[in-house]
Amino acid sequence: MAHSRVFSLPPAVIGIAYLLGYVALDWVSFIDPFATFGITPWNPPPGLSFVLLVLFGQRYLPLLFIAPVLADLLVRQLPFPWSLELLVAALNGGIYALGLRFLLRPSTRFNPALASMRDLIMLLSVAAGSAVAVAIAHVGLLVAFDMLSIRAFVAAALQFWIGDMIGIAVIAPAALIFLTRGLQLRPTRETGGQILAVFAALALVFLYSEKHQFQLFYVLFLPAIWMAVRGGLGVVTIGIVITQVGLILGVHLLPTSEIDVSAFQALMLVLTLTGLVAGALVNEHRNTEAKLRLHQDSLARLARLGSMGELAAAVAHEINQPLTAAGTYARMVADMLRTPGDDPAIAETARKAAAQIERAADVVRRLRALIRLDQTGRAPVSVEHVITETLVLIRPQLDRHNIVTRLHLADDLPPVMADLLQIEQVLLNLLRNSIEAIEQAGQPTGTITIAGTNTGPHEVEISVQDTGPGFPTEVADTYLPLLSSAKAEGLGIGLALCRSIVESHGGQLFVDDRVVGARVRFRLPAAEVARG
């Protein structure tokens, strides 16, 4: 993630920062309240709550109940009796917590970096549904406790929903993108022009607000659309935040009797949703173009190389001959050094060299077998054995880069039906990718965690997770382009080849981008299922 240091902060620091931010946002946005309650046209604290749980996990869930009480105590000196105050906090926090739990379910596959239109729609849909339920419940409690007239229910609930919805829609996307991708606004002349356009539109709206009511409000759409079209979702979220802050400052500076703040915020909600959707559409278009270019590059390179079968045959033909000769010479050296008086260490070294040469030749044969969908080399294999053998092979590289490995294996892991060498190649490639990522990030040390778990009654999952910088945002589970690489000298067949090997075994490979660092998981069927 873009700001990995933030995610490594102690939980206590993150919790305190959230509570301080919640109270500060509540104080800043406490304008034009409905009666004496905290029902305002702009309520950004729930947006901060969305960011907290989405990025930092559900262990911070209790803070969703503490923060509203703290804000009411410090900002409004407890407008409700303690019994009602605690009930309101529990109800509001509980509803938002349920919405966020739904959003964060693994089956929803929500990406907090908002990499696609689907992610943005999911976020806004959960926000809208949760805000409706919170508004109805909150205002309903005030009516039930005779603190609000039943005739004011609709107006209060509508203002409550607009305040929470605009707060989430403005704060959450901007903060999520900033923390996962970094600041998207670059200091250019166009950027300066866009920001000046926002200020000019705000000045025009407020200077003529009394004379023209809200007719000139739509001038604000021009800079928003400009930022969305030119910069995408990451840039337009910043423009929306600037616009919202400008509107609130304008309301503070002008007499509130001249402006209907709730109507202003309703228009601002339309502007926000329009800008977000336009930005997401631009991102989708750019991602599609990028994937198309990658596919075109892949096809061009494949056309030059010919079919993968021909490539494997050519590699096998060209490499097997020198490997066979080198293996013969190494065995001859080992035989000659077995005479009494010779150094046994030299003989052992020659024997190891011959063994590795034979292994390289076997890898080439298995690669050709993989492309031909050959399954003759598969047998029941212990997951622990596969991982242990792989770690022995890559141990020198791990030690050279000061990388610690952690192994977490479930006690009841069944064997998998697999070609040992091919699955070892998958693990070797994933481990080497992690080592190179940690090294290129300039980290003096690192950690790689290998885990083996049961994901079902007849399926085993192996995962490799490192503490490196993680995957780029354009890498998705369902998209691993063939022959494309971020490495200067890479062939670009690493992850794609791993996926091909795993899928040829009847399994699946996944790339996770919701974790700190990078994690790749692949699943294989258990041996008894593969045989059946």
Side-chain angles (χ1 to χ4, degrees):
M1 293 186 175
H3 298 279
S4 56
R5 292 183 180 179
V6 175
F7 296 91
S8 61
L9 290 173
V13 174
I14 295 174
I16 292 173
Y18 163 74
L19 292 175
L20 292 176
Y22 191 101
V23 173
L25 287 175
D26 192 63
W27 177 74
V28 169
S29 62
F30 189 60
I31 58 170
D32 196 30
F34 194 96
T36 59
F37 313 122
I39 302 176
T40 59
W42 185 44
N43 190 32
L48 195 64
S49 300
F50 268 61
V51 175
L52 178 73
L53 260 65
V54 166
L55 291 184
F56 298 96
Q58 299 185 30
R59 59 179 172 176
Y60 293 97
L61 190 60
L63 296 183
L64 265 65
F65 303 93
I66 298 173
V69 177
L70 186 63
D72 275 350
L73 180 63
L74 296 178
V75 178
R76 287 174 288 278
Q77 290 75 47
L78 287 178
F80 307 132
W82 271 108
S83 58
L84 180 58
E85 180 70 37
L86 296 178
L87 185 59
V88 166
L91 196 62
N92 294 1
I95 292 174
Y96 278 126
L98 287 175
L100 287 166
R101 282 180 63 89
F102 171 79
L103 182 67
L104 297 176
R105 289 188 309 171
S107 59
T108 61
R109 302 180 65 79
F110 172 72
N111 185 345
L114 303 182
S116 67
M117 174 67 78
R118 175 182 177 274
D119 297 315
L120 177 65
I121 295 300
M122 288 179 62
L123 176 68
L124 296 178
S125 298
V126 170
S130 301
V132 166
V134 169
I136 294 174
H138 188 111
V139 178
L141 279 177
L142 297 182
V143 172
F145 277 75
D146 293 327
M147 302 192 72
L148 194 67
S149 168
I150 187 64
R151 291 176 296 179
F153 178 86
V154 174
L158 181 61
Q159 181 164 316
F160 194 106
W161 179 81
I162 291 176
D164 276 24
M165 186 61 197
I166 189 67
I168 297 171
V170 169
I171 297 296
L176 289 174
I177 291 175
F178 174 71
L179 290 173
T180 56
R181 301 193 220 168
L183 185 64
Q184 302 291 295
L185 199 63
R186 300 290 179 258
T188 63
R189 289 183 179 179
E190 184 177 19
T191 298
Q194 291 169 345
I195 295 176
L196 286 176
V198 172
F199 288 139
L202 285 169
L204 191 62
V205 168
F206 280 108
L207 286 174
Y208 296 95
S209 61
E210 183 177 7
K211 181 178 180 181
H212 298 281
Q213 296 299 320
F214 301 109
Q215 294 179 13
L216 295 181
F217 183 92
Y218 297 99
V219 175
L220 292 171
F221 280 78
L222 297 178
I225 297 301
W226 181 13
M227 299 177 87
V229 170
R230 296 291 294 168
L233 184 61
V235 173
V236 77
T237 54
I238 299 174
I240 289 170
V241 171
I242 295 174
T243 304
Q244 178 66 76
V245 173
L247 284 175
I248 297 303
L249 286 175
V251 170
H252 275 297
L253 295 175
L254 293 177
T256 55
S257 58
E258 295 182 6
I259 299 174
D260 186 345
V261 181
S262 296
F264 241 151
Q265 288 299 83
L267 292 173
M268 182 63 199
L269 180 58
V270 176
L271 170 63
T272 299
L273 297 179
T274 302
L276 292 176
V277 171
L281 287 173
V282 170
N283 281 10
E284 293 266 286
H285 180 68
R286 291 178 178 176
N287 290 338
T288 302
E289 286 185 340
K291 291 177 182 180
L292 180 59
R293 284 195 296 269
L294 284 174
H295 278 304
Q296 289 173 340
D297 291 342
S298 298
L299 290 174
R301 297 178 69 180
L302 279 176
R304 292 194 298 268
L305 292 173
S307 68
M308 288 299 291
E310 293 172 356
L311 174 63
V315 170
H317 177 74
E318 296 297 329
I319 294 180
N320 269 334
Q321 291 185 9
L323 283 178
T324 301
T328 301
Y329 292 140
R331 284 189 291 272
M332 290 173 61
V333 172
D335 291 338
M336 289 187 292
L337 289 174
R338 286 176 182 166
T339 59
D342 289 327
D343 188 349
I346 299 177
E348 178 65 16
T349 301
R351 187 190 65 79
K352 289 182 178 180
Q356 290 303 311
I357 291 170
E358 179 59 31
R359 173 181 173 80
D362 202 9
V363 168
V364 174
R365 290 193 294 271
R366 296 297 178 88
L367 176 60
R368 184 167 56 183
L370 168 66
I371 295 173
R372 293 176 177 176
L373 300 178
D374 188 357
Q375 302 183 13
T376 57
R378 298 180 188 176
V381 179
S382 165
V383 173
E384 182 178 5
H385 175 71
V386 174
I387 296 174
T388 303
E389 289 293 316
T390 306
L391 288 176
V392 169
L393 293 172
I394 205 168
R395 179 58 58 190
Q397 297 181 47
L398 294 169
D399 295 339
R400 187 160 57 250
H401 293 89
N402 298 319
I403 294 176
V404 178
T405 56
R406 295 176 180 171
L407 190 60
H408 301 295
L409 297 179
D411 296 330
D412 55 346
L413 284 180
V416 294
M417 182 67 74
D419 186 308
L420 176 61
L421 276 175
Q422 289 180 5
I423 299 303
E424 281 185 359
Q425 285 302 124
V426 172
L427 277 173
L428 278 172
N429 190 60
L430 298 181
L431 289 169
R432 285 170 180 155
N433 285 348
S434 294
I435 293 171
E436 292 173 4
I438 293 171
E439 178 188 14
Q440 292 174 4
Q443 300 177 11
T445 185
T447 302
I448 299 177
T449 303
I450 306 173
T453 56
N454 283 316
T455 55
H458 307 296
E459 193 175 48
V460 175
E461 179 177 279
I462 302 173
S463 66
V464 177
Q465 181 175 353
D466 60 56
T467 55
F471 287 108
T473 54
E474 63 268 17
V475 175
D477 285 352
T478 56
Y479 182 67
L480 289 177
L482 180 62
L483 298 178
S484 64
S485 175
K487 304 172 187 175
E489 300 178 356
L491 291 177
I493 61 174
L495 281 178
L497 182 58
C498 288
R499 170 163 283 179
S500 297
I501 293 175
V502 171
E503 290 180 350
S504 73
H505 282 72
Q508 293 176 292
L509 185 140
F510 307 94
V511 174
D512 290 345
D513 54 3
R514 286 183 54 189
V515 297
V516 177
R519 181 172 65 181
V520 179
R521 303 175 288 117
F522 62 93
R523 296 175 182 175
L524 297 172
E528 61 271 14
V529 176
R531 285 198 301 267

